[in-house]
């Protein structure tokens, strides 16, 4: 039993960790900003996973990542978080806290999916991990002309970080040593949380994994066009009809080029974000107080290239086909992830922040996806029963995945503890980083 300020919480032991899952951190009516969840008096049984925000199936990702559509129940009341801590936590012990913001293009995913199970990270490195579930898609990330707010999912995340500051000490966490970490849209969200005035009081370090910062700007016209179509969704539209409508809204984005790769997302000029012209100044204000580890995989775009019939045909051409696909991958990886990450981190250090930049190039031997987008996930959350043999890493021996994974988990946790990374370093054959 735990006794945080929010009210008593009971969890469960699971091998080498203790889990307290599905704890409400906020409440919100549809299309409304969140408010903190009210405190409670009776013990809260935190033994069920947080429900996922309603979302549609993505069979392609199920095949690649081994997820299962419907794995978690769906609910609009999805503002819940789950805490994983070492089972042998000593009285009074205070461990670094790592708050996980999941990815999924701001339309899919959930904090408690099996592929994000942090048990290995926690048990091996003595950290406390908080996994956050938040609103997605039309529920969380699109303004309309009639005044429906944008960035509701981002506001949810802020409430989760506030909850952590208030309550995490009861679970063995040190509220003065909080690291925000997230992959893909999760990394993008954390980058944008860093632009809020409150950010330095909520987390002191940030790990941005494969954040698509190259497509986060210049989205106003696309979002406006999407918002017009989204007016058809009301407060009374059944949840799964909202999800179905999401696909129609996303179709509007197609004429906006590469931005359409992630049609939903953060919107500048809507709370809690400044106008787009002021975003760099906002980031600069928080830079001296938040240390950053930012990077991407070396072949990000290879996750998406096999879905293109044109590129699949191109890849089958002898010699030239393989070279052409590699060239396209390099261009897209650089445009969406690489160049923007370097720009972000250079600005961060000029503004007085500390930062390291990494590239992850590990991949399964002979695998069509190579060092693709999401290949960091099986390394970071290395649960064999979930990850062994899935499409993304098919061809790799689990022992090799686990060896690199242990080193990656140790590196991430060391950063969260405040260990010095030095001028440069890495994992032989898998990852290299350097101070900026």
């Amino acid at each position: 039993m735990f006794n945080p300020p929010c009210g008593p919480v009971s969890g469960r032991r699971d091998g080498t960790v203790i889990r307290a899952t599905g704890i409400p951190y906020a409440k919100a009516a549809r299309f409304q900003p969140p408010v903190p969840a009210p405190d409670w008096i009776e013990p809260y049984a935190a033994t069920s996973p947080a429900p996922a925000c309603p979302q549609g199936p993505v069979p392609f990702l199920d095949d690649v990542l081994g997820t299962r559509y419907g794995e978690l129940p769906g609910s609009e009341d999805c503002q819940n978080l789950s805490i994983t801590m070492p089972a042998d936590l000593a009285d009074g012990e205070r461990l670094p806290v790592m708050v996980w913001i999941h990815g999924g293009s701001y339309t899919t995913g959930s904090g408690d999916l099996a592929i994000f199970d942090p048990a290995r990270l926690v048990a091996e490195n003595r950290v406390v991990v908080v996994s956050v579930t938040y609103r997605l898609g039309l529920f969380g990330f699109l303004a309309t002309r009639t005044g429906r707010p944008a960035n509701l999912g981002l506001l949810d995340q802020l409430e989760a970080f506030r909850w952590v500051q208030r309550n995490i000490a009861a679970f063995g966490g040190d509220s003065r040593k909080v690291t925000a970490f997230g992959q893909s849209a999760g990394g993008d969200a954390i980058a944008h949380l860093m632009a809020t005035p409150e950010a330095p009081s909520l987390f002191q370090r940030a790990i941005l994994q494969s954040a698509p910062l190259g497509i986060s700007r210049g989205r106003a016209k696309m979002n406006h066009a999407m918002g017009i179509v989204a007016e058809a969704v009301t407060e009374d539209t059944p949840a799964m009809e909202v999800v179905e409508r999401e696909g129609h809204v996303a179709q509007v984005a197609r004429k906006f080029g590469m931005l359409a790769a992630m049609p939903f997302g953060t919107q500048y000029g809507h709370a809690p974000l400044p106008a787009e012209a002021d975003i760099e100044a906002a980031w600069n204000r928080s830079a001296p107080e938040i240390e950053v580890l930012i990077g991407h995989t070396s072949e990000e775009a290879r996750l998406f290239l096999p879905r293109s019939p044109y590129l699949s045909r191109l890849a089958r051409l002898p010699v030239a086909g393989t070279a052409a696909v590699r060239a396209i991958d390099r261009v897209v990886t650089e445009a969406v992830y690489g160049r923007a990450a370097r720009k972000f981190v250079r600005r961060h250090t000029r503004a007085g922040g500390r930062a390291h930049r990494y590239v992850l190039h590990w991949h399964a031997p002979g695998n069509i996806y190579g060092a693709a987008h999401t290949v960091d996930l099986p390394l970071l959350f290395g649960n064999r029963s979930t990850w062994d043999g899935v499409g993304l890493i098919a061809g790799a021996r689990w022992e090799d995945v686990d060896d690199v994974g242990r080193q990656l988990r140790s590196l991430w946790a060391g950063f969260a503890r405040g260990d010095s990374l030095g001028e440069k370093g890495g994992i032989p054959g898998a990852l290299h980083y350097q101070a900026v």
Side-chain angles (χ1 to χ4, degrees):
M1 181 71 71
F2 304 95
N3 290 288
C6 65
V9 173
S10 62
R12 63 184 176 89
R13 180 165 183 151
D14 183 8
T16 56
V17 300
I18 292 174
R19 303 181 191 269
T21 55
I23 303 171
Y25 64 82
K27 298 286 185 185
R30 183 184 288 182
F31 305 141
Q32 295 300 313
V35 295
D39 295 346
W40 53 84
I41 298 173
E42 294 299 316
Y44 185 88
T47 54
S48 299
C53 182
Q55 57 196 263
V58 188
F60 162 69
L61 287 180
D62 287 351
D63 291 343
V64 176
L65 301 178
T67 48
R68 292 176 293 108
Y69 179 66
E71 173 183 333
L72 296 172
S75 171
E76 288 189 59
D77 295 321
C78 63
Q79 293 100 333
N80 296 266
L81 54 78
S82 295
I83 304 169
T84 308
M85 69 211 86
D88 60 348
L89 197 66
D91 287 343
E93 189 174 11
R94 292 289 177 267
L95 300 178
V97 180
M98 301 180 70
V99 180
W100 172 248
I101 306 296
H102 71 82
S105 297
Y106 290 109
T107 57
T108 64
S110 185
D112 281 353
L113 288 178
I115 61 168
F116 301 138
D117 181 3
R120 297 286 303 280
L121 176 62
V122 167
E124 291 170 6
N125 298 283
R126 296 198 70 73
V127 294
V128 174
V129 172
V130 180
S131 305
V132 177
T133 298
Y134 55 95
R135 284 177 287 180
L136 303 168
L138 284 176
F139 299 103
F141 284 98
L142 187 65
T144 63
R145 294 175 302 171
T146 53
R148 191 177 300 165
N151 302 327
L152 291 172
L154 204 64
L155 293 171
D156 290 348
Q157 294 168 18
L158 281 173
E159 287 294 342
F161 278 98
R162 292 173 187 137
W163 190 98
V164 167
Q165 282 296 313
R166 182 180 182 225
N167 295 286
I168 203 62
F171 301 89
D174 186 345
S175 62
R176 299 164 302 174
K177 195 171 283 188
V178 176
T179 297
F181 73 128
Q183 185 268 346
S184 194
D188 181 81
I190 291 167
H192 286 92
L193 289 176
M194 288 173 61
T196 65
E198 196 179 355
S201 68
L202 299 177
F203 54 93
Q204 295 72 49
R205 294 178 181 84
I207 305 175
L208 310 181
Q209 303 170 216
S210 301
L213 296 173
I215 53 174
S216 66
R217 306 284 190 94
R219 300 168 62 90
K221 288 182 179 179
M222 179 180 75
N223 290 148
H224 177 75
M226 292 169 63
I228 293 171
V229 181
E231 295 285 6
V233 175
T234 71
E235 288 81 355
D236 302 316
T237 306
M240 291 315 293
E241 285 187 29
V242 177
V243 172
E244 184 180 348
R245 188 71 186 176
E246 210 168 85
H248 300 303
V249 174
Q251 289 282 345
V252 175
R254 288 194 165 185
K255 65 181 180 182
F256 291 91
M258 198 175 286
L259 297 179
M262 190 176 70
F264 291 91
T266 52
Q267 290 183 242
Y268 298 116
H270 298 262
L273 297 180
E276 185 164 347
D278 300 325
I279 185 67
E280 298 211 351
W283 275 327
N284 288 345
R285 282 190 288 272
S286 68
E289 298 179 79
I290 300 177
E291 186 175 0
V292 169
L293 175 60
I294 185 172
H296 57 90
T297 72
S298 60
E299 300 175 294
E300 294 276 0
R302 283 184 65 165
L303 180 70
F304 312 105
L305 297 183
R307 299 182 69 189
S308 165
Y310 166 75
L311 291 171
S312 295
R313 289 195 300 271
L314 182 61
R316 288 193 289 269
L317 294 176
V319 185
T322 301
V325 169
R326 282 179 179 161
I328 293 168
D329 168 62
R330 281 195 299 272
V331 169
V332 176
T333 296
E334 179 67 3
V336 179
Y337 306 95
R339 187 163 52 242
R342 291 193 300 275
K343 181 180 177 184
F344 183 92
V345 80
R346 285 196 301 266
R347 177 210 44 75
H348 185 81
T349 54
R350 282 198 304 269
R354 293 185 298 161
H356 286 77
R357 187 173 65 82
Y358 75 85
V359 176
L360 173 67
H361 47 87
W362 181 87
H363 61 87
N367 191 295
I368 186 175
Y369 295 110
H373 192 70
T374 70
V375 79
D376 46 349
L377 297 179
L379 302 175
L380 189 57
F381 303 107
N383 185 318
R384 183 171 188 170
S385 63
T386 301
W387 281 106
D388 195 8
V390 303
L392 182 66
I393 57 171
R397 297 188 317 140
W398 181 255
E399 292 75 15
D400 296 332
V401 177
D402 197 39
D403 177 53
V404 175
R406 280 181 181 274
Q407 295 178 74
L408 183 75
R409 293 188 290 272
S410 176
L411 180 62
W412 262 223
F415 177 79
R417 277 194 303 270
D419 297 350
S420 172
L421 299 186
E423 284 301 306
K424 59 183 176 181
I427 302 169
L431 177 147
H432 63 271
Y433 68 80
Q434 63 186 48
V436 178

